[in-house]
Amino acid sequence: MAAIMMVMVTLLFLDVSGTLHRFLGWTAQIQFLPALLALNVVVIVALVLLTLVCGRIYCSVICPLGIFQDIVSWIHGKRKKNRFTSSPEKRWLRYGVLVVFIAAFVAGIHALVALLAPYSSYGRMVTNLLLPVYQWCNNLLAAVAERMDSYTFYGVDVWIKSLPTFLIALATFIIIVVLAWRGGRTYCNTICPVGTILAQLARFSWFKVYFEADKCKSCGLCTKNCKASCIDFKTRKVDYTRCVTCGNCLEKCNFGALHYGHPKASAQPVEPATDDKPATDNARRAFLVGAAIVGADVALAQAAKKVDGGLAVIEDKKPYKRSTPINPPGSVSAKHFAQHCTACQLCVAKCPNGVLRPSSDPSRLMQPELSFERGACRPECVVCSSVCPTGAIKPITVDEKSSTMIGHAVWVKENCLILKDGVNCGNCARHCPTGAIMMVPSNPDDDTSPMVPAVNSAMCIGCGTCEYVCPSRPFSAIYVEGHEMQREI
């Protein structure tokens, strides 16, 4: 189940066709923190009941970051067996991080909340580290298929959308891999705030891992294979706040002394027992192999094919430093969006127009914002609102999107080619989907003067088409300023 969930969540972020979110979007909606922010009562109640009945099953089967740690630990376990020991709970660190997380959420320090959110951390790792490799492989297949006159695959642009977010994702990946390689579930049981919250419920769970004392031979295999370091075989104790109900201890016990169920009244901890030599180790569960090899050996890259026809190099556009960032349509307001977005990057990965990218602004770090150097926010596209699991971007219809004002266009006279180079243009007016831009004489008293764009702010929805199609380089002669509060025309 964990392997299947891991593959589905990963494919949700990797999908370049834009279709899988219709079938796999629920895997994001059942994550604990996104469901909490979206006030998804059904999911929250279901996860609470699941934990009260079965323990921290969520951490071992549903949470992709937890499963990722298991994969890393499983790979290391192939080389070094029976490597874990029982260790006391680091309460000061565990609850200290939870207090910091809650305080950051209340105080509006959204970057810190995003850094500690487990689902979002995994999403950033996939989007920034694995997705480019996946896209290169896709482009290689597209190039091969094209030579065979097949268009089953199509090429996509591969680029780093935000260097700070990329570096944060890389640092997160390294930290989690090191911790999981050395100590299994160390991150889950010392840093993850969701794990700490569920731990308080798990101590009261109906089903638990417990000892049958008269069968235990004190071989220690359960402790040496517990990746949560929560089993002390000498005292027959299990720390249920750290146990993720993975079942490793059950399959390692050769004497049937460990059980998973409702503890019997006679199953009480005993005095420390004598440590004997461990019994022969058995093979680890094989069903994680499929998830472990997903993306592990992918290293192909398509060679860039440059065909410029001898033309001059076109200078890339540079983004404007907007006074007010542009939030995705459906985010209601800047305040609502900032409070609910955990920067999981799912909307960034799924945006078919390439206009969403993580912010580098410290106050909005990693949260998505719109920029129009590579495309425009097309009025008929509502993908971001349909995939957001936290409610930061509320679902909207195409009709609502077409009439939602997320910003307004601003003409920059000094950059306009019509006045700067004396050429006829009008690209912005021709391509404006709402007819908010008209070409008027630059001199109101002279109808023969060059025609320049004039923006009707009451009709402009801030889609950025004008900014995208403007031929002026490096800065467009027309750009979009965002609105703090979105509204419908």
Side-chain angles (χ1 to χ4, degrees), residues 128 162-172:
N128 289 275
S162 170
L163 183 58
T165 301
F166 174 83
L167 295 176
I168 290 172
L170 180 61
T172 303

Side-chain angles (χ1 to χ4, degrees), residues 195-273:
T196 304
I197 292 171
L198 293 179
Q200 306 315 306
L201 300 174
R203 68 171 73 240
F204 306 109
S205 63
W206 181 258
F207 294 129
K208 300 174 179 177
V209 174
Y210 66 94
F211 280 88
E212 192 171 343
D214 57 345
K215 292 184 178 181
C216 180
K217 306 302 180 183
S218 299
C219 67
L221 280 178
C222 54
T223 295
K224 295 175 182 178
N225 288 276
C226 177
K227 58 198 172 190
S229 300
C230 67
I231 299 179
D232 185 354
F233 74 94
K234 296 179 181 180
T235 59
R236 316 288 202 273
K237 286 184 178 180
V238 180
D239 183 353
Y240 298 118
T241 67
R242 288 185 290 159
C243 177
V244 294
T245 323
C246 64
N248 283 3
C249 56
L250 301 179
E251 68 177 26
K252 290 298 178 182
C253 181
N254 297 317
F255 307 103
L258 280 171
H259 303 279
Y260 176 66
H262 184 58
K264 299 177 182 178
S266 60
Q268 299 294 333
V270 299
E271 294 300 321

Side-chain angles (χ1 to χ4, degrees), residues 61 125 139 183 424 441:
V61 176
M125 290 193 299
N139 291 350
N424 291 325

Side-chain angles (χ1 to χ4, degrees), residues 14 80 140 202 205 355 383 421 472 485:
L14 295 181
K80 186 177 180 181
L140 180 60
S205 63
V355 299
V383 171
D421 296 336
S472 181
M485 181 73 68

Side-chain angles (χ1 to χ4, degrees), residues 1-14 20 24 27 64 67 71 122 287-294:
M1 291 175 64
I4 293 172
M5 177 62 70
M6 182 71 167
V7 171
M8 289 193 297
V9 172
T10 304
L11 285 178
L12 178 64
F13 283 92
L14 295 181
L20 286 185
L24 302 179
T27 60
I67 303 171
I71 293 172
Y122 181 76
F287 70 86
L288 285 178
V289 176
I293 64 175
V294 174

Side-chain angles (χ1 to χ4, degrees), residues 123-165:
R124 286 191 296 272
M125 290 193 299
V126 173
T127 304
N128 289 275
L129 305 180
L130 186 56
L131 181 58
V133 178
Y134 185 88
Q135 290 173 328
W136 280 325
C137 293
N138 172 83
N139 291 350
L140 180 60
L141 290 173
V144 173
E146 183 181 355
R147 290 182 175 273
M148 301 171 63
D149 294 328
S150 171
Y151 296 94
T152 305
F153 302 93
Y154 58 91
V156 294
D157 291 335
V158 184
W159 52 293
I160 296 178
K161 297 179 175 64
S162 170
L163 183 58
T165 301

